[in-house]
Amino acid sequence: MPLRNWIMLTVLGAIWGGSFLFAKVAVAEIPPFVLVFLRVSIACTVLLMILGHRGMLNRLEKKYTVPFLVMGLLNNAIPFSLLFLGQTEIGAGLASILNATTPVFTVIVAGLLTKQETLQGNRIAGVVLGVAGVAIMLWSSLSGLASDPLWAQLCCLGAAISYACAATFARRFKTLPPQVTATGQLLGSTTLMLPVALLTAGNWTMADPSLTAWLNVLALGVLATALAYLIYFQILAEAGATNASLVTLLVPASALFFGWLILGENLGVLQLGGFAVLLAGLVVLDGRILKKRRAPAV
């Protein structure tokens, strides 16, 4: 990739890594489902304004209403809700690592369950390593060595599974510009999360959170969702899906760094070991390093 794309990829990795930090701060003062609604509605408003400026609002056709609702459910409502619920108990770094299993689950869903992709040797090996990495990370909680609740970690894994299902479902939107798909799914998730947020808000009011919490909400909606989608789709258009997928390797690294630097978070030895195995699985899953090693010398 050209330097421009590497810079965009690094920025995107930092933004999405930072999103776990934003969520960790905001969810301490805002109910999880309310926070999900705020995130998707703010991002939806921004993207609607951008589509309107580009004269593309007419691409949000009624025939896509149900698919947009399904995509909004799988790619926003369910995973955001599970991640925010999980982050009420676990740190930003661990949540990002568990969420980095998304490519592993995507191979399982697309290759094994829906038969949309052919399972090659490196993909099978990557899945095995990924599952092993997750098992190592969860073992510390199962054995009582870590204080992180197992249910919270399973929530983050559930979010990864939902993202994997969304990636498989998203193939039906190939004829639409990516910005339109992003806006449509955010419209869908905003519609779905509004009644959920109202029903679960309890006695919470918008006057309760501090200014710091609201700034993190804005960062989640504008920076980590609306702007991040635009950057991602630009990389997708210029460098292709395979190169864009490299962001998966950058997100947990940046989340771990921000969590350590700003929140003072630390991971246990087993969790770091599991992350290393998972990272190796993602590299094998990607396959490019293996291809370069096999390439004959010229």
Side-chain angles (χ1 to χ4, degrees):
M1 288 190 295
L3 179 60
R4 162 187 164 85
N5 292 135
W6 279 112
I7 292 174
M8 291 172 65
L9 194 70
T10 303
V11 170
L12 182 61
I15 290 175
W16 272 341
S19 70
F20 290 91
L21 181 72
F22 305 147
K24 182 64 180 176
V25 174
V27 81
E29 301 184 40
I30 301 173
F33 296 121
V34 175
L35 183 58
V36 174
F37 170 73
L38 292 172
R39 177 178 184 175
V40 296
S41 60
I42 291 171
C44 182
T45 301
V46 173
L47 289 184
L48 281 172
M49 291 171 63
I50 292 174
L51 282 191
H53 177 70
R54 296 178 178 178
M56 299 173 67
L57 286 175
N58 62 323
R59 300 300 301 272
L60 294 169
E61 300 176 56
K62 288 185 179 179
K63 66 179 181 180
Y64 292 113
T65 299
V66 173
F68 280 153
L69 284 170
V70 174
M71 191 64 180
L73 180 70
L74 294 175
N75 207 41
N76 297 140
I78 291 177
F80 289 174
S81 296
L82 290 174
L83 284 171
F84 294 169
L85 282 170
Q87 285 196 261
T88 60
E89 294 289 342
I90 66 175
L94 180 56
S96 70
I97 291 173
L98 294 168
N99 190 60
T101 58
T102 297
V104 175
F105 288 117
T106 301
V107 170
I108 293 174
V109 172
L112 294 179
L113 300 183
T114 63
K115 308 294 183 182
Q116 287 189 6
E117 294 184 2
T118 303
L119 283 179
Q120 300 171 338
N122 69 293
R123 290 178 175 267
I124 296 173
V127 168
V128 171
L129 283 171
V131 171
V134 170
I136 293 171
M137 282 185 285
L138 295 182
W139 179 253
S140 58
S141 293
L142 289 169
S143 60
L145 297 175
S147 59
D148 302 303
L150 181 62
W151 70 264
Q153 298 180 65
L154 292 176
C155 278
C156 295
L157 287 177
I161 295 172
S162 187
Y163 280 134
C165 294
T168 304
F169 184 81
R171 301 184 181 212
R172 66 191 62 210
F173 297 108
K174 285 183 177 180
T175 58
L176 284 178
Q179 298 92 332
V180 175
T181 302
T183 306
Q185 72 175 24
L186 285 167
L187 273 171
S189 56
T190 299
T191 303
L192 293 170
M193 289 307 302
L194 176 58
V196 177
L198 291 174
L199 289 171
T200 58
N203 295 324
W204 180 88
T205 67
M206 295 186 70
D208 293 338
S210 63
L211 176 60
T212 299
W214 280 117
L215 289 175
N216 280 273
V217 170
L218 286 175
L220 271 174
V222 178
L223 188 64
T225 308
L227 178 62
Y229 272 144
L230 294 177
I231 295 175
Y232 177 75
F233 292 141
Q234 191 64 36
I235 298 172
L236 205 62
E238 295 182 11
T242 302
N243 286 323
S245 68
L246 289 173
V247 74
T248 307
L249 303 176
L250 302 176
V251 171
S254 62
L256 282 171
F257 175 73
F258 291 139
W260 167 78
L261 181 67
I262 300 173
L263 300 179
E265 295 179 353
N266 290 296
L267 296 178
V269 174
L270 280 176
Q271 292 170 333
L272 289 173
F275 175 44
V277 175
L278 171 62
L279 195 61
L282 294 179
V283 171
V284 171
L285 198 64
D286 179 66
R288 269 172 286 190
I289 290 180
L290 297 177
K291 289 179 181 178
K292 288 181 180 179
R293 284 179 176 270
R294 293 171 185 166
V298 179

